[in-house]
Amino acid sequence: MPKDRFLAQGVTGSKRQRSGKPAAARKQAKGQPSQRPGHSKRRRHGGSDDDEEGGGHGESENEIGDINDLEHRYGTDENEASSEEDEFLETAADKRLRLAKSYINKVKAATELDADEYDAAQIDRDLIAERLTTDARERSGKWSRRIASQFAYPVDESSMMRVLKNGHRLPVTCVAITPNGQFVYSGSKDGSLIKWHRESGRKLKMFVGQKKSNPAPNHRLGHCDHILSIAVSSDSRYVATGGRDRRIHIWSVDEDRHLIAFHQHKDSVTGLVFRRGINHLYSCSADRMVKLWNVDELAYMDTLFGHQDIILSIDALQREQAVTTGSRDKTLRLWKIADEAQLVFRGGSTTDQNRITKALSEGKQDAIEAVAEVKSLISQNPQTVQQASEYRDMLRRLASEESGFAEESVDVVAMIDEETYVTGGDSGALCLWSVQKKKPVFIHHIAHGIQPTLPAGAEEEEEDAAKLPTRTRWITALAAVPFTDMFFSGSSDGVVRMWRMRPGKAPGFDMVNTISVAGFVNGLSARELSPEGSLAQRKDIVLAVAVGQEHRLGRWAKEKARNVVKLFHLPANPQKQQVPVE
Amino acid sequence: MPKASKQIIQYSSDEDSSEASGDESLRSGENSDSSQQQQQQSDYSEDEESDSEDAKAAKIREQLAHVPFNQLIRIQQQMGTSKFNKSIGLKEKSDTRKKVQQALRQSVGGSASGDAELSDEESGSESENSAPEMSSTGKSLKPSGGKSKDFHRDSRKMPAMMSSKRPVSRFRQVVEVAKPQTRDPRFDGLSGNYNEDLFEKSYSFLDKQQEEEIEALKAQMLKIKKHDPHEAQRIQTVVSSLQSQIAAKKQKKHSQELKRTHRKKELEAVKQGKTPYFLKKRELKGLEAAEKFSKLKDSSKLDNYMEKRRKRNATKDHRRMPYRRREE
């Protein structure tokens, strides 16, 4: 018989040596003589191999060591008392149990517990339960927490507002708060990106933009044209900025340095968003393409086509889906990336007389309790009351004037949950969308009022004023607190409005609060802060408003304002605590 | 063949595992996003299916559990896979096959969405075939008249679904221009039906106009003859064409007259009880020729005409004769 491994009977206990070391040394290295019951069984073929083996039979224990080596049993060396069951088969249920335990341990580690003051076990259970329920709700994709009524009070500028100033020279175009609530990033038209400390308002780091005239800019230093969009990853490690220089720059939050510049876009990058929970970046650009990036690998992943005009904004939550607005092609598209499909929603709704009169009479159609609740919320802030009454007056005036506004461009979008989106356009209409319908489910017309026909200070000649068309204020920024009923909208009318989704079956939203902010609101970012040891219902909201003298995309008008970032810390009003609805 | 068994076993194992771990959130948390979507789709279908069907299917499954496997396969083949699957309560989980079909359709044709093709697919799959899978895939591979649809939506109120992999050109229709609707009055229903009698009566003035035109043209021709012979020639051709048009009209009317008289005769015969005889074209031609002959005879140009005719026919025959025989 040739000394061939294949032909040797019972490939066990042969004297071939895996490593150069003698068997005894190998045994010692392992550290344990494994006394497996029934090892005598495995020597069953030993007799037939006697001719081939030189003198290996005496070392019975070494053979056993070889056997263990050969069969690569998991845990054979560790478990001395390993059971008779040779195969460790994990059923589906066992696997789930194991994963659930590891998940709970992860959640435990993530939630920081203040064990001294409270009953540790209780807090443990509550926080973990809360975290698990929020995670479950987020995965289900439906908004459920009602928090807007806790924030309906007038904003006290002295205690709640902080102005991040002396940073940008030109209008601030975008702003983002890191999910851990520590930093605020803002980008502006001068190409500079600034990292601010949220609590103190200090400027921590500034990445100055290079001059536009620079013939050979070094793209590793940063932007060389307007910054138009910004996004922070959910683990607060990366910041992505995109701008008119067609580049997406990735910066590291902890190390304060530039990582990479993606150059694949062919036109300015107008929107960026990180997916929740995973470091995938979605970018949208004026070249009508949506591109996907893996930021952990610093690599390009995919391109999605479909829009017929420049894409102005993008938003995404946890799923591998993104929603984009296509300005003048009047569509909102939901990109299902896994299916390589897109759902096309048709915007471009007209605000005509019929709709205005309907909006006026809407209060009577709604349930009386809902209207009363909104009224009570509004009444806390006199500015909001005034705004509401001005709105109704304006609607009445427009209803009699025979004017109509068509939405020619869908500009901004925010995702409230995985299947509900809100968009704003140049007709001032805030539209609420659902995945099941191609037209908006609810429209709030002329949300931010009418632009004055002549600039302030000009003499009004009655004839000329009558000829000029009335224009509505464009919605320039939207931000939603995902999976809750609250979202914010900004425009150039000097007021950031806080909206609350209507509870119940009929979709809709109402204004519940206003925050005065002068200038063009080019960016909004809203985050919930979860301070230590607190329960789910009472989380403060931090709202960052990027204010500029001009619109972020062009110089159609100039407002008297300062180019700053206004940071609002809105504590949850304990009196108006709402129980979260399942 | 192992398909049915795998599915049955899978179903029972799902039930067991669902009893073991009672936590729904964890189960949903495990799945990836795409399977979550599939789950959602299956949830959707679950809602549509009524409980009674589930119960029925469960009963059938219980009974089938004792049936030997060969028999199950035979039953499936006889019934058809889709019917069989429905009866034991298996949901259509042909996602991979559908994806393949979609991909094929994409590569074959355009990207409009619509309802027709899914109904075709369903009807195709429901037909009982010995090899049901083959037939359904075969059907889907055919492009349906150039209108292959990528994605299907249940109602027109839902957002349209499209592929996200096709680049869009930079140029787009900004303002929608209305396409000019062309209509051909010959085939348009609005124009009504052609009534020859009415037409002649209403447009009889045109004949007079035509005659006047001919006179005018002749006069013009005489004028121009001296200084511009080419132009005169041209006018001559126009005049002659007009004249021949008139002659043709006249001839047509004449033959219609002949037909009419014949028909009247036959009508009388029918009244008397005889069967009618319908004129053939050749016979009509014969009648016309007879009339022509009689006319020519009166004007004594008959010989001339017959001579010309003979010559014409001779040359034609000569041309048609085969090459060899011409020499003869």
Side-chain angles (χ1 to χ4, degrees):
Chain A
M1 283 277 276
K3 289 183 184 175
D4 200 320
R5 262 170 72 178
F6 277 113
L7 299 175
Q9 277 188 22
V11 189
T12 60
S14 57
K15 80 163 171 61
R16 71 194 171 287
Q17 310 236 324
R18 301 297 176 85
S19 55
K21 292 185 245 169
R26 245 189 299 134
K27 268 312 284 305
Q28 279 176 5
K30 277 205 190 137
Q32 287 176 25
S34 48
Q35 295 143 17
R36 306 194 88 247
H39 74 267
S40 53
K41 289 188 218 164
R42 299 211 176 80
R43 295 185 58 214
R44 55 190 177 279
H45 296 292
S48 57
D49 289 348
D50 265 345
D51 303 329
E52 289 143 31
E53 291 169 45
H57 234 7
E59 307 157 277
S60 57
E61 292 186 352
N62 291 345
E63 284 179 49
I64 291 165
D66 286 338
I67 288 164
N68 293 333
D69 237 347
L70 166 70
E71 298 188 285
H72 300 294
R73 281 277 159 73
Y74 173 73
T76 42
D77 290 330
E78 291 107 58
N79 307 342
E80 266 185 65
S82 67
S83 54
E84 297 271 354
E85 293 130 3
D86 296 333
E87 268 86 18
F88 175 57
L89 265 184
E90 208 181 28
T91 63
D94 288 340
K95 185 178 181 187
R96 282 205 188 97
L97 200 58
R98 178 170 61 84
L99 286 174
K101 282 184 179 167
S102 70
Y103 183 64
I104 288 174
N105 289 334
K106 232 199 293 180
V107 171
K108 260 190 190 169
T111 59
E112 290 152 46
L113 308 173
D114 199 3
D116 298 332
E117 294 176 21
Y118 305 92
D119 178 16
Q122 183 62 32
I123 283 288
D124 199 343
R125 264 177 265 129
D126 283 346
L127 283 174
I128 291 170
E130 176 255 317
R131 172 74 185 271
L132 287 173
T133 43
T134 34
D135 282 353
R137 272 200 224 109
E138 285 199 8
R139 273 178 224 264
S140 75
K142 189 78 187 69
W143 75 263
S144 50
R145 283 172 52 223
R146 287 203 260 140
I147 61 171
S149 40
Q150 301 167 37
F151 300 98
Y153 49 82
V155 170
D156 176 21
E157 298 207 339
S158 53
S159 64
M160 299 181 201
M161 182 175 84
R162 192 180 289 280
V163 179
L164 308 178
K165 55 192 172 187
N166 300 331
H168 296 292
R169 285 185 304 109
L170 291 181
V172 187
T173 51
C174 49
V175 71
I177 307 174
T178 52
N180 57 14
Q182 286 178 7
F183 309 114
V184 178
Y185 280 89
S186 61
S188 90
K189 284 195 182 183
D190 57 17
S192 60
L193 171 72
I194 299 180
K195 177 184 183 181
W196 311 82
H197 188 254
R198 183 192 62 80
E199 272 185 88
S200 59
R202 267 183 314 122
K203 192 164 50 165
L204 291 176
K205 177 83 182 165
M206 179 161 175
F207 304 97
V208 185
Q210 299 163 73
K211 289 210 170 158
K212 237 190 283 186
S213 54
N214 191 348
N218 182 1
H219 292 292
R220 278 189 236 134
L221 292 177
H223 284 278
C224 52
D225 208 336
H226 301 347
I227 296 182
L228 292 177
S229 52
I230 192 169
V232 187
S233 65
S234 55
D235 56 3
S236 304
R237 277 168 57 207
Y238 301 107
V239 174
T241 55
R244 262 180 38 166
D245 59 350
R246 309 186 306 279
R247 298 230 164 8
I248 301 171
H249 295 265
I250 308 286
W251 317 79
S252 165
V253 173
D254 308 315
E255 298 168 31
D256 282 346
R257 68 180 182 95
H258 181 271
L259 292 175
I260 198 170
F262 295 128
H263 59 89
Q264 276 88 337
H265 273 297
K266 293 179 192 167
D267 205 340
S268 46
V269 181
T270 48
L272 289 169
V273 68
F274 271 96
R275 201 179 142 194
R276 284 188 156 209
I278 193 170
N279 286 340
H280 285 179
L281 175 69
Y282 301 151
S283 69
C284 70
S285 151
D287 61 5
R288 308 176 318 282
M289 293 194 254
V290 176
K291 287 193 193 274
L292 321 178
W293 314 86
N294 186 337
V295 179
D296 284 326
E297 316 275 324
L298 295 178
Y300 159 81
M301 281 205 297
D302 209 355
T303 304
L304 307 170
F305 305 95
H307 271 294
Q308 290 178 316
D309 199 2
I310 63 178
I311 309 178
L312 284 182
S313 93
I314 187 168
D315 200 3
L317 287 175
Q318 211 169 14
R319 293 190 193 160
E320 203 180 4
Q321 285 175 4
V323 71
T324 55
T325 52
S327 74
R328 298 200 97 81
D329 78 353
K330 296 178 216 164
T331 58
L332 172 77
R333 286 172 205 246
L334 174 71
W335 304 91
K336 295 184 154 185
I337 293 157
D339 297 337
E340 290 187 354
Q342 54 177 298
L343 291 176
V344 182
F345 301 86
R346 297 279 158 195
S349 53
T350 1
T351 304
D352 55 1
Q353 252 194 317
N354 287 338
R355 295 198 184 197
I356 291 171
T357 41
K358 232 182 169 181
L360 268 174
S361 61
E362 205 188 27
K364 298 171 195 167
Q365 289 169 11
D366 280 350
I368 297 169
E369 302 97 42
V371 172
E373 196 188 354
V374 170
K375 277 191 177 162
S376 72
L377 288 173
I378 287 175
S379 59
Q380 296 174 47
N381 186 353
Q383 187 193 27
T384 318
V385 176
Q386 190 201 3
Q387 287 280 336
S389 64
E390 275 178 17
Y391 179 70
R392 293 197 85 80
D393 292 339
M394 176 194 69
L395 282 185
R396 276 187 211 111
R397 190 165 42 87
L398 289 173
S400 58
E401 268 178 15
E402 277 193 41
S403 52
F405 310 101
E407 187 183 50
E408 299 288 343
S409 170
V410 187
D411 292 337
V412 276
V413 68
M415 265 187 158
I416 291 169
D417 63 32
E418 303 278 6
E419 289 165 7
T420 316
Y421 325 114
V422 63
T423 59
D426 67 343
S427 70
L430 279 174
C431 300
L432 187 67
W433 304 81
S434 163
V435 189
Q436 282 102 25
K437 283 194 73 184
K438 73 174 178 190
K439 288 275 176 181
V441 190
F442 177 79
I443 307 175
H444 191 284
H445 298 279
I446 317 170
H448 281 261
I450 304 268
Q451 288 179 25
T453 44
L454 291 168
E459 289 172 9
E460 281 199 28
E461 298 175 16
E462 280 189 29
E463 293 173 19
D464 287 354
K467 282 183 205 168
L468 288 171
T470 47
R471 294 203 190 281
T472 49
R473 295 239 186 229
W474 308 345
I475 310 290
T476 52
L478 272 179
V481 183
F483 306 109
T484 65
D485 64 344
M486 190 162 77
F487 65 93
F488 299 89
S489 73
S491 180
S492 54
D493 65 342
V495 171
V496 166
R497 286 167 209 265
M498 181 195 300
W499 306 86
R500 183 189 84 127
M501 299 281 286
R502 285 182 195 160
K505 273 195 173 178
F509 47 82
D510 305 288
M511 181 173 71
V512 293
N513 205 0
T514 52
I515 304 170
S516 56
V517 165
F520 274 93
V521 175
N522 286 329
L524 283 169
S525 177
R527 288 255 179 235
E528 280 186 295
L529 288 182
S530 39
E532 295 179 22
S534 75
L535 298 175
Q537 286 93 320
R538 285 191 286 154
K539 281 190 186 173
D540 298 350
I541 294 273
V542 180
L543 176 71
V545 186
V547 182
Q549 292 171 343
E550 299 158 358
H551 192 277
R552 77 176 174 119
L553 295 170
R555 306 184 71 193
W556 294 279
K558 198 153 183 167
E559 294 273 329
K560 268 210 156 170
R562 288 190 302 167
N563 299 321
V564 292
V565 175
K566 290 198 172 173
L567 204 58
F568 295 92
H569 183 129
L570 306 170
N573 191 336
Q575 294 163 6
K576 285 275 178 177
Q577 194 175 321
Q578 280 272 335
V579 178
V581 174
E582 295 302 311
Chain B
M1 221 199 197
K3 196 179 166 192
S5 66
K6 221 193 272 175
Q7 281 168 335
I8 292 169
I9 291 167
Q10 205 182 45
Y11 207 96
S12 55
S13 73
D14 268 351
E15 286 181 310
D16 291 341
S17 54
S18 69
E19 285 165 52
S21 67
D23 202 348
E24 268 185 286
S25 63
L26 290 168
R27 217 186 316 147
S28 62
E30 265 181 44
N31 296 339
S32 63
D33 284 339
S34 52
S35 60
Q36 196 182 38
Q37 286 173 9
Q38 282 181 12
Q39 218 182 36
Q40 279 184 353
Q41 287 175 7
S42 65
D43 288 341
Y44 203 69
S45 60
E46 271 173 0
D47 291 336
E48 294 174 323
E49 218 180 294
S50 58
D51 290 333
S52 60
E53 284 183 31
D54 273 338
K56 273 189 214 169
K59 275 187 191 168
I60 294 174
R61 255 183 277 118
E62 275 175 38
Q63 290 167 9
L64 283 180
H66 302 291
V67 178
F69 195 62
N70 308 350
Q71 282 211 355
L72 276 178
I73 295 298
R74 234 176 280 153
I75 293 167
Q76 189 192 34
Q77 282 176 354
Q78 279 174 3
M79 276 181 74
T81 322
S82 55
K83 262 194 185 176
F84 183 75
N85 288 351
K86 268 190 199 169
S87 63
I88 59 170
L90 277 176
K91 280 149 204 151
E92 280 256 319
K93 278 193 181 174
S94 54
D95 290 303
T96 47
R97 195 178 77 190
K98 275 187 182 160
K99 275 186 184 167
V100 166
Q101 287 174 5
Q102 279 173 9
L104 286 169
R105 257 177 272 147
Q106 266 185 12
S107 61
V108 160
S111 63
S113 67
D115 308 337
E117 196 171 69
L118 191 69
S119 55
D120 285 347
E121 260 190 65
E122 279 176 352
S123 59
S125 64
E126 271 170 33
S127 62
E128 292 175 45
N129 297 317
S130 56
E133 287 186 15
M134 281 304 289
S135 67
S136 53
T137 48
K139 204 161 189 172
S140 68
L141 277 173
K142 272 188 243 159
S144 49
K147 271 194 266 173
S148 61
K149 283 120 190 168
D150 273 347
F151 300 92
H152 167 72
R153 55 177 168 169
D154 292 321
S155 88
R156 298 214 75 231
K157 289 184 183 174
M158 291 182 68
M161 195 185 257
M162 285 190 241
S163 162
S164 66
K165 285 299 169 186
R166 289 173 192 223
V168 178
S169 81
R170 237 182 225 276
F171 299 108
R172 69 181 180 97
Q173 197 77 8
V174 177
V175 181
E176 284 172 14
V177 178
K179 213 167 131 184
Q181 293 281 343
T182 47
R183 55 174 279 271
D184 193 338
R186 292 177 293 174
F187 309 112
D188 203 354
L190 284 174
S191 317
N193 290 323
Y194 177 51
N195 187 346
E196 196 168 344
D197 198 35
L198 191 61
F199 176 82
E200 278 175 24
K201 280 188 188 154
S202 16
Y203 298 106
S204 55
F205 66 93
L206 285 174
D207 299 329
K208 288 184 197 144
Q209 234 184 23
Q210 212 172 28
E211 286 167 19
E212 283 169 19
E213 273 180 22
I214 290 173
E215 297 300 317
L217 281 170
K218 278 185 183 168
Q220 198 185 13
M221 193 175 63
L222 288 169
K223 269 196 208 167
I224 299 177
K225 221 175 186 178
K226 288 192 181 167
H227 21 266
D228 197 353
H230 290 291
E231 189 67 27
Q233 189 64 41
R234 241 178 28 86
I235 297 172
Q236 173 60 43
T237 47
V238 171
V239 164
S240 53
S241 75
L242 287 172
Q243 280 173 332
S244 60
Q245 266 180 32
I246 295 172
K249 261 191 235 171
K250 221 169 147 189
Q251 183 59 36
K252 199 175 166 193
K253 263 192 203 167
H254 192 71
S255 58
Q256 278 178 355
E257 267 297 322
L258 285 174
K259 261 198 214 170
R260 221 176 290 149
T261 48
H262 180 87
R263 202 159 172 265
K264 271 187 194 162
K265 257 200 288 173
E266 294 304 318
L267 272 173
E268 285 176 24
V270 164
K271 277 184 195 165
Q272 289 177 7
K274 298 181 190 168
T275 54
Y277 179 77
F278 298 101
L279 260 185
K280 289 190 229 173
K281 270 193 199 165
R282 211 172 167 200
E283 286 164 356
L284 179 64
K285 233 177 164 183
L287 280 174
E288 285 174 19
E291 277 222 25
K292 201 169 182 184
F293 282 158
S294 57
K295 221 200 309 177
L296 284 172
K297 218 178 182 178
D298 295 337
S299 64
S300 75
K301 287 187 186 165
L302 182 62
D303 296 332
N304 214 350
Y305 176 72
M306 290 309 287
E307 183 59 32
K308 275 194 187 161
R309 195 158 153 223
R310 191 198 61 77
K311 261 192 195 170
R312 205 176 347 133
N313 289 342
T315 50
K316 274 191 188 167
D317 290 338
H318 182 81
R319 254 189 281 138
R320 283 179 197 153
M321 198 72 88
Y323 185 62
R324 283 246 174 122
R325 285 187 66 186
R326 278 194 199 166
E327 289 165 348
E328 291 174 29

